[in-house]
Amino acid sequence: LPTIMWYRRDLRMSDHAALTAACKRGGPVIPVFIHDKLSDSLGAAPKWRLGLGVGALAKSLEDKGSRLILRRGDALEVLRELVAETGAGAVYWSRLYDPDSIKRDTAVKEALKDDGIEAKSFGGHLMFEPWTVETGTGGFYKVYTPFWNNVKSRDVPVPLSAPSDIPAPQSWPESEMLDDWQMGAAMDRGADVVRPFVQLGEASAQARLGHFMGHIVQDYKASRDIPGADGTSNLSENLSLGEITPHQCWHAGQRARHEGKQGAETFLKEVVWREFAYHLMHHTPRILTDNWREDWDAFPWNDDARSAEVWAWKKGRTGIPFVDAAMRELYVTGRMHNRGRMIVASYMTKHMMTHWRIGLDWFEHCLIDWDPASNAMGWQWSAGSGPDATPYFRVFNPVTQLDKFDKNRDYAGRWIAEGRANPHKDALAFFDAAPRHWGLSPDDPYPDPVVPVDQGRHRALDAYENREF
Ligand code: FAD
């Protein structure tokens, strides 16, 4: 009997436990992607990027003589229809860990089992299942370093190769057309702007990993902090949709470490930060929506998402070059350098005293590497409201940070056009991408700071010191 391979955020064929098991089960394999209310509710850029990823996977499957069946609707209803149409005896998928997916998948599993169908979920999105990492007293980790110490010597399964053959059914069930789903409809800055920065699909992800291990990892420890350099892997885009697995990154990192490449251990630690984010989300799903430290509920956040300051932040017009460069990078490329993320999040939550949730939502709207766990952890870490957070009194100074990490202004110069004789093409691309109603022009004078650095710092520290929380 056929097996339905239900694809979600695991858009690859190699190192794919569910697909491998489906092929081994015997009988035809029917890969399917269901556009349901969870994929439909994604932010603009993540949804658009998911659509591209689904298209790329469909093409790769076709190259192997298989197909990707596309259906829209409630996941359980669609799966039941497909079971009825194809006579499938099993449905396999790779596990996800956010609360909405867990709720959906648990209900699907129970219902299919009641129907007499083998319903089975597999690992792959993470190296260490969140419930398998425990402190000495059986709890979960709230601080990164002990988490790292716990997992760093574990055996990580060697990545599986792609199945050599994906058995096709005699006839394929009907499929919808990806274009009809219009997954890029909410891309207000225009998909064409961001498209050149996308590296799509499994083969590109592997090429990216190869390039990183060949040319970048050696100096990664220092280069990862320089936003104007090509000093990181950029793999987050592919990891977020499972076009590559953390296992593949881990083993490549271990090989580089054995070859004596300096930055390899730092890279392994970063990949484990992603695991840690999932660990936290699994054990405290409220990290996605609420202050992880509940005493922060009483902090006097500005939570007006339409305030002039918030708009200046989104438009990259705060008058603070590091913040503005990073916000423009986000808008044009769908990505932002990690140091930029820390700086813009710190400026928003501390200098602007604006609720981290507003920033988290904007990232979810804009990022092509959006990841629920890493985004929430990053924002709460920056705000000081999370576990393992930066202490509130440690307020990043975006001016001295720019001097330290962008000495020659490669980054600021790439993204800020105002006041420059020959602006960089990407700095100008931002103005083309920005909606007309933002009223921006590269000929405008560069703005004064919406919140001056020292003043913002003192205001935030006063609020913190006089806290009644
Ligand atoms: P590299 O430096 O090459 O690191 C390799 C991999 O390690 C990354 O691809 C990523 O999977 C993981 N990693 C690295 N740093 C972190 C980190 N701090 N937390 C979790 N995982 C990490 N990352 C996302 O993938 N999606 C998000 O939506 C996201 N939102 C963030 C929001 C804020 C406010 C902050 C401060 C960080 C956020 N991050 C997010 C984490 C980090 O900025 C990105 O993972 C990193 O910039 C991706 O670039 P890279 O692939 O070149 O990373």
Side-chain angles (χ1 to χ4, degrees), residues 418-440:
E418 295 95 325
R420 283 172 205 272
N422 291 307
H424 192 285
K425 68 173 175 31
D426 291 337
L428 293 173
F430 171 72
F431 289 90
D432 291 339
R436 215 169 275 256
H437 71 265
W438 283 12
L440 302 184

Side-chain angles (χ1 to χ4, degrees), residues 212 220 224 231-237 239-240 249 266-275 277 335-346 363-364 367 369-382:
F212 177 75
Y220 174 72
R224 66 179 288 272
T232 67
S233 74
N234 293 314
L235 282 163
S236 52
E237 177 189 359
L239 279 164
S240 88
C249 297
T266 310
F267 176 72
L268 295 171
K269 283 187 172 163
E270 293 307 320
V271 178
V272 168
W273 267 105
R274 177 178 172 276
E275 303 279 325
R335 316 179 47 97
M336 190 194 287
H337 190 276
N338 181 58
R339 186 137 298 268
R341 294 187 211 218
M342 293 194 298
I343 297 292
V344 305
S346 166
F363 272 30
E364 183 171 346
L367 280 174
D369 71 357
W370 175 76
D371 178 285
S374 298
N375 197 31
M377 181 182 73
W379 275 97
Q380 297 233 32
W381 183 89
S382 303

Side-chain angles (χ1 to χ4, degrees), residues 173-229:
E174 267 182 44
S175 174
E176 294 177 30
M177 301 287 283
L178 185 57
D179 284 351
D180 290 346
W181 292 354
Q182 306 243 334
M183 291 181 84
M187 281 291 277
D188 40 12
R189 75 257 219 204
D192 291 349
V193 177
V194 189
R195 186 65 185 84
F197 299 96
V198 168
Q199 283 202 23
L200 182 59
E202 188 172 1
S204 315
Q206 291 299 333
R208 225 174 202 171
L209 180 63
H211 172 74
F212 177 75
M213 292 302 167
H215 304 279
I216 298 175
V217 71
Q218 175 72 20
D219 299 323
Y220 174 72
K221 202 169 173 188
S223 68
R224 66 179 288 272
D225 269 325
I226 311 296

Side-chain angles (χ1 to χ4, degrees), residues 103-156:
K103 201 168 150 211
R104 174 193 61 191
D105 296 350
T106 310
V108 165
K109 197 179 248 180
E110 278 170 17
L112 290 177
K113 281 188 173 164
D114 286 347
D115 295 349
I117 303 295
E118 187 197 345
K120 211 165 160 185
S121 60
F122 294 76
H125 202 60
L126 298 178
M127 293 185 284
F128 314 115
E129 295 292 4
W131 49 89
T132 66
V133 190
E134 286 187 342
T135 63
T137 53
F140 67 98
Y141 286 97
K142 302 173 185 85
V143 179
Y144 171 79
T145 303
F147 180 85
W148 161 255
N149 286 330
N150 181 309
V151 301
K152 69 180 179 196
S153 311
R154 286 199 186 191
D155 279 335
V156 171

